[in-house]
Amino acid sequence: VQLQASGGGLVQAGGSLRLSCEVSGYTESSYIIGWFRQAPGKEREFVAAIRWSGRSRYYADSVKGRFTISRDNVENTVHLQMNSLKAEDTAVYYCGARQGSEYRDPRYFHSWGRGTLVTVSS
């Protein structure tokens, strides 16, 4: 599975951005596509995840109600719509893929796309 993330940029606090993760290669319903982020000096942390079937979606408490993860079946792309952005959302965002049930721990993800930088100015 190959992943390509895009959509980052500079936005003011309260604004919105939509990240995209283009997925290519072999996938099946057991796959999970996850979004993680890593701020300078911090560990990579879970943001949101979706099963390739689209039936289950998961969110970190810090983004629940503000971020929405979705899958475009036609373009094989997973989007992360980010609204009401805060300065603490500033990080490099990565999308990853794995088979299995665990979705929060980035160590279980075996495929990663190049990150995309999100900067939220206060």
Side-chain angles (χ1 to χ4, degrees), residues 60-72:
D61 288 342
S62 59
V63 307
K64 207 171 287 185
R66 300 189 297 124
F67 291 11
T68 302
I69 190 169
S70 62
R71 182 195 163 194
D72 183 324

Side-chain angles (χ1 to χ4, degrees), residues 7-60:
L10 173 64
V11 64
Q12 288 188 333
S16 299
L17 278 176
R18 189 175 82 156
L19 305 184
S20 298
C21 178
E22 185 178 345
V23 182
S24 59
Y26 176 75
T27 56
E28 57 183 22
S29 60
S30 64
Y31 268 78
I32 295 175
I33 305 298
W35 281 100
F36 294 79
R37 64 188 181 187
Q38 189 165 16
K42 295 188 177 181
E43 293 185 349
R44 192 168 295 190
E45 66 172 3
F46 168 72
V47 176
I50 187 169
R51 291 205 174 272
W52 194 240
S53 65
R55 293 179 181 177
S56 299
R57 307 178 188 192
Y58 312 94
Y59 297 93

Side-chain angles (χ1 to χ4, degrees), residues 1-3 31 95-98 108-113:
V1 176
Q2 292 80 45
L3 308 170
Y31 268 78
C95 58
R98 67 151 301 181
Y108 289 95
F109 283 70
H110 52 73
S111 299
W112 292 97

